[in-house]
Amino acid sequence: MTAHSMVRTHDSELGGAAARAVVAAMIAVLFAGSTALTPLYIMYKQAFGFSQITLTLIYAVYVIGNLAALLMFGGVSDVVGRRPAALAAMAVAVVSALLFLVAENVATLDMARILSGLAIGVGAGTGTAWLTELIETRDKSRAATIATSTNFLGLGLGALGAGLLAEYAPWPLRLTFVVNLAVLALVTILIWRTRETVSRPGKLADISVQPKLSVPGNVRARFVAPAVTGFGAMALVGFYAAIAPSILAQQLHVTNHAVAGALFFELAIVAAVTIVATTRLSSRVTMFTALFLMVPTVALVVAAQFFGSMVIMIAATACCGIAAALGYRGGLQVVNQIAPADRRAEVVSAFFICCFCGNALPVIGIGILSSWTTATTASLAFAGMITIFSLVALGFGAKYAR
């Protein structure tokens, strides 16, 4: 371990495998809070009487919190320590869950989503760095594998749990967040007891909130392929998280909230397994495979709507899980390889901006189009966009594959 992370473990603190498990659980529970709404969107739409456009905007404002965390608080745990930053993220997540619990209007849902995005942005970055320091081997790629796989696992469990509670338990718009708050409280207590790895934490006054975001001119052409790949991968995830439940209800006539949650759970589990099973693939192969898979994924989604077929939708979801996992990880690996060592954080931040935009902007576009035309037409437009983006990324990736 580095001098930066050599901190003595007190008897009352969790270390070793227990500490790694707690940090992974923190990442999972934070992401679970972001998809708890996936099977509930239709219920909120009926309860509050808002449009499909408003539904997609409620989903998309989450990215405001993500961007604030990335641009302003990305390095906070390097300064104040992993544990204080993680506890701050958990506190914000608790406030977000409380707002969801008492929500009676769209404004409250928006604020809760923004805070959820902020908590995840700070907590995921802190957790990944913490895992890297807690893993006492030279293979630091394990930390990224654990962090990304638990990320998707949390996303899936959040959607599945909320769907089951909404369908089979009382108080469907409340009980999910009571359970979420209980889990957040438990994990927060465990985080409080987990070993700190920053040896000499600074003070809040030492934190710089000046954004650092740029792509050096000598790598911009090579940055296009991974950036577009990350955009497309997160666009697919956003489509399923925000739009898929409406497709199930309107085109496939499946109104069971548990099924809506289970569909996203399928995507997340396939993604998590893919990340773990393909760790030996090179970054370029991973990225190109994702780009090739994106086209049949969106084709299957449109076919499922056209034929009203749940079987095709399940197949599309599996393809989406693989494409999203490989696209996100492969794109990030390529960016890490092409970025100059002295500006890596800036270039990686630019990649994450592309991912966040991919997660939000296409969803808003689909919401607007579906209100003007039909849901199937909007999905066709989304499929066309993903196809064009995939071809562009493949072109740039093949030209600059060095």
Side-chain angles (χ1 to χ4, degrees):
M1 299 180 71
T2 64
H4 175 72
S5 60
M6 289 181 64
V7 180
R8 185 181 300 277
T9 304
H10 299 290
D11 292 340
S12 60
E13 291 182 338
L14 297 173
R20 294 192 293 272
V22 170
V23 175
M26 178 192 73
I27 294 172
V29 72
L30 286 173
F31 277 100
S34 74
T35 51
L37 261 70
T38 294
L40 305 181
Y41 280 123
I42 293 177
M43 301 180 73
Y44 278 118
K45 185 179 177 182
Q46 294 169 345
F48 296 170
F50 53 71
S51 66
Q52 185 70 14
I53 296 176
T54 301
L55 186 156
T56 55
L57 288 173
I58 291 170
Y59 175 82
V61 293
Y62 160 87
V63 174
I64 295 174
N66 285 153
L67 292 175
L70 177 65
L71 295 176
M72 300 178 67
F73 305 111
V76 65
S77 72
D78 292 331
V79 178
V80 302
R82 310 302 181 204
R83 185 164 52 197
L87 290 171
M90 296 298 284
V92 174
V94 166
V95 175
S96 171
L98 286 170
L99 287 175
F100 281 128
L101 181 62
V102 302
E104 297 289 349
N105 52 53
V106 171
T108 307
L109 292 177
D110 284 337
M111 182 54 65
R113 286 286 291 167
I114 291 171
L115 290 176
S116 176
L118 179 61
I120 288 170
V122 174
T126 299
T128 302
W130 207 352
L131 282 171
T132 301
E133 294 160 356
L134 287 168
I135 293 174
E136 298 175 358
T137 69
R138 292 186 177 181
D139 182 16
K140 297 305 182 184
S141 64
R142 278 185 59 202
T145 300
I146 294 171
T148 51
S149 58
T150 51
N151 167 340
F152 279 106
L153 181 62
L155 291 172
L157 289 173
L160 179 63
L164 289 170
L165 290 173
E167 186 66 30
Y168 302 115
W171 315 299
L173 296 180
R174 311 293 182 193
L175 187 58
T176 291
F177 302 106
V178 172
V179 173
N180 187 25
L181 282 166
V183 177
L184 284 169
L186 174 61
V187 174
T188 299
I189 293 170
L190 294 174
I191 287 291
W192 184 271
R193 296 189 55 209
T194 300
R195 176 167 67 91
E196 177 61 74
T197 54
V198 175
S199 56
R200 290 181 294 277
K203 300 177 181 178
L204 288 176
D206 299 327
I207 298 173
S208 172
V209 295
Q210 181 177 357
K212 290 186 177 181
L213 180 70
S214 66
V215 179
N218 62 331
V219 299
R220 282 176 190 164
R222 286 181 286 162
F223 180 78
V224 172
V228 174
T229 304
F231 184 100
M234 291 300 101
L236 291 173
V237 174
F239 178 89
Y240 266 84
I243 308 296
S246 297
I247 291 174
L248 288 180
Q250 296 168 10
Q251 274 75 48
L252 276 63
H253 308 294
V254 177
T255 57
N256 187 302
H257 302 296
V259 173
L263 191 72
F264 193 86
F265 179 75
E266 178 201 348
L267 183 156
I269 291 301
V270 169
V273 171
T274 299
I275 287 171
V276 174
T278 60
T279 52
R280 294 180 181 272
L281 286 181
S282 72
S283 58
R284 296 280 174 185
V285 170
T286 301
M287 185 177 73
F288 286 146
T289 302
L291 291 169
F292 280 117
L293 281 175
M294 286 180 188
V295 177
T297 295
V298 290
L300 284 170
V301 169
V302 174
Q305 291 177 255
F306 185 80
F307 294 107
S309 171
M310 190 65 190
V311 173
I312 298 177
M313 194 66 178
I314 290 171
T317 304
C319 285
C320 180
I322 297 171
L326 295 181
Y328 177 73
R329 200 194 72 201
L332 180 57
Q333 286 177 326
V334 171
V335 167
N336 271 317
Q337 290 168 357
I338 67 173
D342 60 336
R343 300 183 66 180
R344 179 165 287 117
E346 296 176 47
V347 179
V348 170
S349 294
F351 171 78
F352 285 137
I353 294 291
C354 294
C355 291
F356 293 152
C357 290
N359 194 239
L361 297 181
V363 167
I364 296 173
I366 293 169
I368 294 172
L369 272 178
S370 62
S371 67
W372 290 347
T373 57
T374 65
T376 303
T377 302
S379 294
L380 272 170
F382 175 74
M385 181 204 74
I386 291 293
T387 301
I388 292 170
F389 275 37
S390 298
L391 293 174
V392 169
L394 284 168
F396 273 86
K399 184 176 181 179
Y400 296 100
R402 293 200 304 269

